[in-house]
Amino acid sequence: MTEAAPTTANNAAPPPESMAWESRSRRVVMLYVPLACFVLILLFPFYWMTVTAFKPNAELYNYGLHNPFWITSPTLDHLYLLLFQTAYPRWLMTTMLVAVCATVLSLFASTLAAYAIQRLRFQGSGYVGLAIYLAYLVPPSILFIPLATMVYQLGLFDTPFALILTYPTFLIPFCTWLLIGYFKSIPYELEECALMDGATRLQILRRITLPLAVPGLISAGIFSFTLSWNEFIYALAFIQSSERKTVPVAILTELVTGDVYQWGALMAGSLLGSLPVAIFYSFFVDYYVSSLTGAVKE
């Protein structure tokens, strides 16, 4: 009995200092190192665009004498070329117009469709919602052929309306699916009480459902705006005039002459073109994540 005490003492838990060190090292290996790698991979393209946009041509094309990851003599020549010797400001305004109009149109149609599928509960509503989501999976490279025929027949070729009316074809399906999932999280009893008080469906949608679904609407709006801003295939096929092109198409077709790539202006245009989306997203990131989480749960 007297020899059992040392054995118990040897099997005792390690002191708090070793536990704290072990948890700290495990946290570094399992959390901070992967997070640092993820941030580095995610932000490196933006860093490379920034460095390239402010590098003179002598540093861009001579890596033997200059560090490719750093700027020795920064210059604003590429920004001057982009802003004052090209139609980039007009490209930017056209892109903003198309993205905003397509987003508003898609949100309007998606809200009505999602509310009808989720709340009116007509026969086959579940299959309709599934069919709408499956339409989102159709590649744009297949859709743009019949859409091009319609654009020509309606006389919309080479106008911003061609993009405003065709972008909702791939925006509405996903936004509808997203809002269906978010509308499910809103208690139906609120609408039943409003119906008992004599409210119409439109009044319920406008005064009860939409105010509660603001995070979902913001999330769908961010998604629509981002895809409209970055879309390339339709903008390349339906717009021909140089001054009416959107930023993703214009910086590639107008800043590349033959086999000469104006890398400084290209990176400056890409950097300036990504800033509106990044700023817009940073203000509503919490709503975006919460809405996606709610939609996935449903």
Side-chain angles (χ1 to χ4, degrees):
M1 298 296 293
T2 57
E3 296 178 355
T7 303
T8 305
N10 292 333
N11 294 333
E17 290 79 4
S18 75
M19 292 182 61
W21 182 88
E22 182 181 358
S23 61
R24 190 183 308 114
S25 60
R26 182 179 300 177
R27 190 183 303 112
V28 170
V29 174
M30 301 299 295
L31 177 62
Y32 295 118
V33 172
L35 185 61
C37 295
F38 176 77
V39 172
L40 179 63
I41 295 173
L42 186 66
L43 296 181
F44 181 77
F46 294 94
Y47 173 78
W48 187 261
M49 286 192 298
T50 304
V51 169
T52 307
F54 292 99
K55 269 188 176 182
N57 289 328
E59 295 185 22
L60 282 177
Y61 300 109
N62 192 350
Y63 287 162
L65 298 177
H66 302 281
N67 190 344
F69 302 103
W70 193 251
I71 307 174
T72 305
S73 303
T75 181
L76 297 177
D77 293 341
H78 303 306
L79 286 175
Y80 180 84
L81 170 65
L82 181 72
L83 297 177
F84 298 102
Q85 297 183 8
T86 66
Y88 187 82
R90 186 165 183 176
W91 300 337
L92 201 61
M93 293 301 299
T94 301
T95 309
M96 181 68 70
L97 173 66
V98 171
V100 171
C101 293
T103 299
V104 172
L105 184 60
S106 301
L107 282 181
F108 178 77
S110 301
T111 301
L112 296 180
Y115 184 82
I117 293 172
Q118 177 57 33
R119 292 308 200 194
L120 299 186
R121 301 183 184 276
F122 56 89
Q123 186 176 4
S125 59
Y127 295 103
V128 173
L130 179 61
I132 291 177
Y133 178 69
L134 291 177
Y136 172 72
L137 303 179
V138 179
S141 57
I142 297 177
L143 287 177
F144 97 93
I145 298 176
L147 288 175
T149 303
M150 297 180 62
V151 167
Y152 276 108
Q153 291 178 352
L154 295 175
L156 300 176
F157 180 74
D158 202 23
T159 64
F161 292 102
L163 304 181
I164 294 173
L165 296 179
T166 55
Y167 282 0
T169 58
F170 60 85
L171 298 178
I172 290 177
F174 183 83
C175 292
T176 302
W177 172 79
L178 184 67
L179 292 176
I180 287 175
Y182 201 85
F183 285 162
K184 286 183 180 179
S185 64
I186 299 176
Y188 189 70
E189 290 76 10
L190 297 175
E191 298 186 8
E192 290 180 342
C193 295
L195 288 173
M196 294 177 61
D197 292 338
T200 63
R201 283 290 181 179
L202 288 178
Q203 290 175 337
I204 294 173
L205 176 63
R206 181 169 57 90
R207 298 182 180 180
I208 297 178
T209 307
L210 290 184
L212 295 175
V214 168
L217 295 174
I218 292 177
S219 178
I222 292 175
F223 174 84
S224 301
F225 184 83
T226 303
L227 260 67
S228 300
W229 188 277
N230 297 324
E231 202 282 326
F232 184 84
I233 295 179
Y234 293 165
L236 178 64
F238 300 154
I239 302 297
Q240 185 176 13
S241 301
S242 174
E243 65 276 2
R244 296 178 181 176
K245 293 180 179 180
T246 59
V247 170
V249 176
I251 61 175
L252 182 61
T253 59
E254 301 297 326
L255 297 179
V256 178
T257 56
D259 58 348
V260 178
Y261 289 78
Q262 304 181 41
W263 289 114
L266 278 169
M267 292 297 103
S270 301
L271 181 63
L272 293 180
S274 62
L275 287 180
V277 177
I279 295 173
F280 183 66
Y281 180 83
S282 64
F283 282 107
F284 303 105
V285 61
D286 294 333
Y287 294 102
Y288 185 74
V289 174
S290 64
S291 177
L292 283 181
T293 304
V296 171
K297 286 181 180 179
E298 297 297 336

